[in-house]
Structure formats: structure tokens, C-alpha cells
Amino acid sequence: MKRSLTCGSYRLFKWQQAGGLTGVSCRKLSSDGIPQMPPCDFKPQEYQSLPYERVLDIRKNLLSPALVTYYKKPILLHQGHMQWVFDSDGRRYLDLFAGIVTVSVGHCHPKVTEAAQKQLGRLWHTTNIYLHPPIHEYAEKLTSLLPGNLKVLYLTNSGSEANDLALMMARIHTGNFDIIGLRTGYHGASPYTLGVTSLSAYKGAFPNGFGCHATMCPDVFRGIWGGSHCKDSPVQTIRKCSCSPGFCEAKDKYINQLKETLSTSTPKKVAAFIAEPIQGVGGAVQYPKGYLKEAYELIRERGGLCIADEVQTGFGRTGSHFWGFQTHDVMPDIVTMAKGIGNGFPMGAVVTTPEIAKSFAESQHFNTFGGNPIASTVGSAVLDVIEEDGLQNNCEVVGTYFLKQLEKLRDRFEIVGDVRGKGLMIGIEMVKDKKTLQPLPAEEMNLIWEDCRDMGVLLGKGGLYSQTFRVKPPMCITKEDVDFGVAVFQTALAKHVERSST
């Protein structure tokens, strides 16, 4: 006999009341067993645009069929406020994916909004063949936040453009051609960057990636080697190892794989190595401590440059440092950034050294919209808000709290294989069981994902098998928001356990 939803909700409620949420910070439950949202004093405007069905019709017939939507019934978002978004029915959601790790300081942050509005009334656009104050003010402000000799700024419109530009710079400066990336790395979908984006879902059946090579990703959870002390994270993997203190066997073995790639797949000289400090689309994958440092040394021995892709990890998101590469104690030659740089405004950037910039100036480079007055103004306001609102510190404090709460769920649920990350760059890898580490099937992932959405929490997905929930919220979230998000996720896990047991 098929049980009713009401009956299932009642049983779940009784499970929670009997101690199901013990050991995990949680919020009060409503009568149907759903965690209650934290209060929010923001009132969204009434939705008055296209009817929902008309929006779906336009999406189907007039927009690219390559565009995907989340959830069985796609959400029609209408308005945003800090860590919250509202749909066309006025329903509120805690946004734990931040527009794919893009909303850094909060949806429609009042200071950023005010700065953009003022600039809109002053000067929308002029290309950089003319001087205008915002780009020069922003260049000075942004480059002051980068260490060493990283002082020359190029402004673009996206992360793909930024990485595309960085790869071209490396080839021109070194006079070499071959570029090394990591498997499951994501750096964009332009023809150049597709070569170093090592996820087949983004690759079309056409020639791309000439001279690009992918070496083994040093994933200490799912990879061949790893242990319980490898990562720079408040939460370590459950995987055990026999490494002695201060010695990481996994790091050395993954470095040997990079050496093998260099010995078998490339000429003696290479142009560049590109890596995210923590992989984003790949599923918040973290490398063993010391891996990037030794990788950089190997690349430089072969005449190559080292590129840090900070599109998702930059601007304080990792908490302990402003830039993700700083957590690895390395100094890149080129840094690329986008997404959180503009809090959702389309912009990206490349920062490099004067020496590399000089080589690149041998040919003319121009970007019509890169560094336009509005983008520069927005970028500058974002930097001000990060400092004034203490958001880097918030990432460290709230992010560590978030990871520790999720760790408790990992220890209680067989299907939660790994919790990893740093600051508010978090991944939850789901498995069939902790012994085999087989990825949780897509249909089961989707059921948990849909349940979270139904209870008011939006999560992303990533990983080679889409087996990892991506948790990368606006950097303004609070511990109270975390308690709600964790309680919702646990409730969804418990519902999954109940479904699987019947």
C-alpha cells in the first residue's frame, strides 16, 4: 500500500522529535517537520512580469536549447536581497549557491547598487581609448590587494575571457605552446579554455585544445592516493593513511604523476600550468598540502608560467586569505578572476607582472567593454564592502562553523562520503556507501536536491559524476542561516533514508 505524503512527513517529524537532529545545530520545526527559516525583514515587490507558463514557452522556443534549468519545476526568480532570493510567488529561498559562486557580498547589496546607479547617471560607457576615473581608481585599488610583482591589470567581461587571455599571454611571453591543467578542472568554454577544461560535458565534437594536456587531479578523497591529514581544511577526509608527521605520501605520488605527464606528453619546454586553488565545477576538490608549490617548481624548470584561476576562490571566499593561491604558499605569474569580482555584474580580470605585460604589448590588445565605467565602479564598490562588512573574516568564521556542522552529518549518514573545503567554498560528496565510494546515482542526488529546494534551500551540484553538492553562498550569511541550511539538508537526508528503507 502506497503511503501518503502526510504519513511520511509525520514519521519524519517523529524521527526528528526523537533525537534525529541531536548533535547538529538546528532550528525549530513546523508541524510538518520542516525546519523554520530565519526571519528576514525584507519585503519583495509583487511580481508583475510575464506569466510563468509564458516564460517557459519563451525559454523552450526562443532561447538556446543548450541552456539548462535547475529542478523539475524551474524556479522563476524575481528579486534578491543579500543571502535571500524570492520567486514569482513571493516565496523565499536561502541561496547557498550564489548564482554559481558569483554573488559575493550579497544580492543587491545597497552600497554596490547605489554606486552603480550613480555611475549610470554619469557615464555608461566609453572604451578605454579615453581616460575615465573609475578604471584608474579600480586598478589602483585591486592591484594593491595582490602580493609581489602582480601589478598590471587587464579587465574583461567573464572568467572564460580572463583565462583565454592568460593562456595567450603565457604562450606569447614564453615562446612555448604546451599548457598543463588538472583533470576535472574548469576554466571556461571558449575555444582556448576548452583545452584546459577537463570535463567532457563541456566539450563539443570539434577540434579544440591543441597543445593542452590534463594531468591526474590530486583528489585525496576519490583519487588513487589520499589520507586524513592531506588538506588545508578544518575537516579532513575519512580516508586513513600511514604517513608520518610532516610527510604526505599522496602529495609525492600525485607530483610523480605530473612529472610523468611532462615526460610523456609535452616537449621539454612548456608555456604554462593552470589550476584553481580549490576546484569549483569539479566538486570543491582540494589538493594535498604542498602539491601546488612543487607543481609550480616543475613548470618553472621547464620555462613555463603558473596561472592561478581565482574565478571562484578569490576575494576572501576561502576565509584565511584574500586569494586562494595564498593558502598554498605559492606566487603565480598570472592571476585570473571573475564571478565574485562584480557581485553578479559581468566582469573579469587578469593581473600579471610588468615583465609579462611588456611581452604581451608587442601585439595590440583591446576589449570594448572590459573596464567600462560601470564595471569598474561596481568592482570598486565590491572591494569596499568586503572590507567594511568584514566578509573575509565572516567566510572563515561562518565557513568553519558550516564545515563542522556538515562533518557531523557525514559521520551519521552512510551516503555522505566527504565534506571538504575552506571558508565558504564547500563541497559535500555523496556516495552509495563509504566502503566502495561509488557516486550516489543521479536520480537519488536529485531527490535530495529537490527536497532541499522544497524546504527553501538552493544548492549547486558538481563533480565528475555530478555527485557533489556545491555550497558556496553569498559571503554575508550568518551562523543562523547555517543552522537552517544544515537542518534542511539533514531533513532531506533523513527522507532519503526513509525512502530507501521501504
Side-chain angles (χ1 to χ4, degrees):
M1 180 178 177
K2 187 178 286 186
R3 295 173 302 149
S4 68
L5 180 61
T6 302
C7 178
S9 296
Y10 176 74
R11 291 183 182 180
L12 177 62
F13 176 68
K14 296 301 289 182
W15 175 87
Q16 291 166 326
Q17 292 295 330
L21 292 170
T22 302
V24 177
S25 297
C26 61
R27 299 193 56 78
K28 293 180 179 179
L29 305 175
S30 61
S31 58
D32 58 0
I34 296 176
Q36 291 183 6
M37 275 190 178
C40 175
D41 57 7
F42 179 81
K43 301 297 182 185
Q45 300 169 0
E46 183 181 351
Y47 180 75
Q48 296 180 336
S49 190
L50 296 169
Y52 183 85
E53 295 301 327
R54 179 62 179 151
V55 169
L56 290 182
D57 183 63
I58 293 171
R59 181 84 170 201
K60 179 181 178 180
N61 296 299
L62 300 180
L63 291 175
S64 165
L67 289 174
V68 298
T69 54
Y70 268 16
Y71 306 112
K72 290 179 181 177
K73 182 180 180 182
I75 302 172
L76 177 54
L77 291 181
H78 164 51
Q79 200 163 357
H81 174 72
M82 302 306 283
Q83 63 269 50
W84 305 100
V85 289
F86 301 82
D87 68 14
S88 53
D89 294 323
R91 185 175 181 190
R92 178 162 56 107
Y93 300 88
L94 178 62
D95 185 5
L96 294 185
F97 200 28
I100 314 184
V101 207
T102 300
V103 178
S104 51
V105 301
H107 289 280
C108 301
H109 191 288
K111 178 156 187 173
V112 180
T113 300
E114 181 184 10
Q117 288 172 337
K118 285 183 178 179
Q119 186 59 47
L120 280 166
R122 187 180 301 121
L123 181 66
W124 278 38
H125 176 73
T126 178
T127 62
N128 295 318
I129 57 174
Y130 304 110
L131 303 180
H132 62 85
I135 189 173
H136 301 88
E137 293 168 356
Y138 183 57
E140 191 171 53
K141 189 178 293 186
L142 179 61
T143 56
S144 71
L145 295 170
L146 285 137
N149 209 26
L150 293 165
K151 297 302 174 191
V152 183
L153 173 66
Y154 297 78
L155 288 164
T156 67
N157 306 291
S158 71
S160 292
E161 276 191 30
N163 283 325
D164 205 79
L165 179 58
L167 299 178
M168 183 163 53
M169 278 182 176
R171 284 172 164 163
I172 289 174
H173 179 72
T174 64
N176 304 326
F177 188 70
D178 289 67
I179 294 168
I180 313 296
L182 297 177
R183 292 178 191 169
T184 65
Y186 179 84
H187 303 284
S190 65
Y192 243 39
T193 58
L194 272 177
V196 286
T197 287
S198 191
L199 292 159
S200 66
Y202 294 92
K203 293 180 179 286
F206 58 86
N208 68 82
F210 296 116
C212 294
H213 314 271
T215 194
M216 184 181 287
C217 177
D219 182 345
V220 299
F221 175 71
R222 182 164 293 283
I224 299 176
W225 306 287
S228 55
H229 303 287
C230 290
K231 303 180 298 184
D232 175 24
S233 173
V235 177
Q236 296 292 334
T237 179
I238 57 175
R239 190 172 180 175
K240 304 300 180 185
C241 67
S242 57
C243 295
S244 57
F247 175 78
C248 183
E249 183 179 306
K251 182 261 294 179
D252 290 345
K253 289 186 174 181
Y254 286 118
I255 283 294
N256 285 337
Q257 287 298 308
L258 175 56
K259 289 178 180 178
E260 190 170 298
T261 300
L262 291 167
S263 297
T264 60
S265 301
T266 73
K268 292 182 179 179
K269 294 291 185 179
V270 299
F273 171 77
I274 183 169
E276 305 153 271
I278 300 174
Q279 287 190 345
V281 177
V285 174
Q286 289 181 279
Y287 323 129
K289 287 175 282 189
Y291 175 84
L292 277 189
K293 197 162 192 175
E294 290 195 28
Y296 276 27
E297 291 171 1
L298 287 172
I299 297 301
R300 285 172 173 150
E301 287 172 4
R302 289 159 176 77
L305 302 182
C306 299
I307 303 170
D309 180 338
E310 294 279 353
V311 169
Q312 295 193 31
T313 52
F315 299 92
R317 181 164 287 278
T318 61
S320 63
H321 296 79
F322 200 80
W323 305 107
F325 69 79
Q326 293 172 308
T327 69
H328 295 273
D329 191 26
V330 296
M331 179 65 75
D333 302 293
I334 303 174
V335 180
T336 62
M337 53 197 81
K339 291 187 180 286
I341 190 174
N343 199 46
F345 192 90
M347 61 183 297
V350 177
V351 180
T352 190
T353 67
E355 181 185 12
I356 295 169
K358 184 178 179 181
S359 297
F360 191 63
E362 292 177 5
S363 58
Q364 188 167 332
H365 172 262
F366 183 73
N367 189 310
T368 300
F369 295 105
N372 71 74
I374 300 173
S376 298
T377 298
V378 167
S380 186
V382 167
L383 293 179
D384 290 343
V385 169
I386 291 172
E387 181 179 5
E388 293 167 7
D389 291 3
L391 295 184
Q392 181 182 329
N393 181 67
N394 195 62
C395 285
E396 182 167 26
V397 173
V398 177
T400 299
Y401 178 74
F402 210 153
L403 283 160
K404 290 292 188 180
Q405 296 302 312
L406 291 170
E407 182 183 28
K408 296 174 184 176
L409 298 187
R410 181 202 65 188
D411 294 344
R412 295 190 58 194
F413 289 91
E414 183 67 11
I415 60 172
V416 181
D418 196 33
V419 170
R420 55 179 175 257
K422 190 171 174 63
L424 288 173
M425 184 84 178
I426 298 171
I428 310 167
E429 182 155 351
M430 308 297 291
V431 296
K432 290 183 72 173
D433 60 76
K434 289 185 171 74
K435 184 176 181 180
T436 66
L437 301 187
Q438 291 183 37
L440 192 68
E443 58 271 20
E444 296 184 49
M445 283 285 295
N446 288 339
L447 287 172
I448 296 169
W449 191 46
E450 293 276 357
D451 283 340
C452 289
R453 168 254 173 93
D454 290 344
M455 290 182 278
V457 170
L458 305 183
L459 296 167
K461 289 190 296 182
L464 183 60
Y465 310 103
S466 294
Q467 81 282 15
T468 302
F469 288 116
R470 297 170 66 192
V471 182
K472 291 107 183 244
M475 300 190 299
C476 57
I477 68 163
T478 67
K479 287 185 177 181
E480 189 177 26
D481 300 326
V482 169
D483 289 343
F484 169 66
V486 171
V488 163
F489 188 59
Q490 174 160 319
T491 303
L493 292 176
K495 289 182 72 173
H496 178 78
V497 171
E498 185 183 14
R499 280 191 298 262
S500 301
S501 64
T502 57

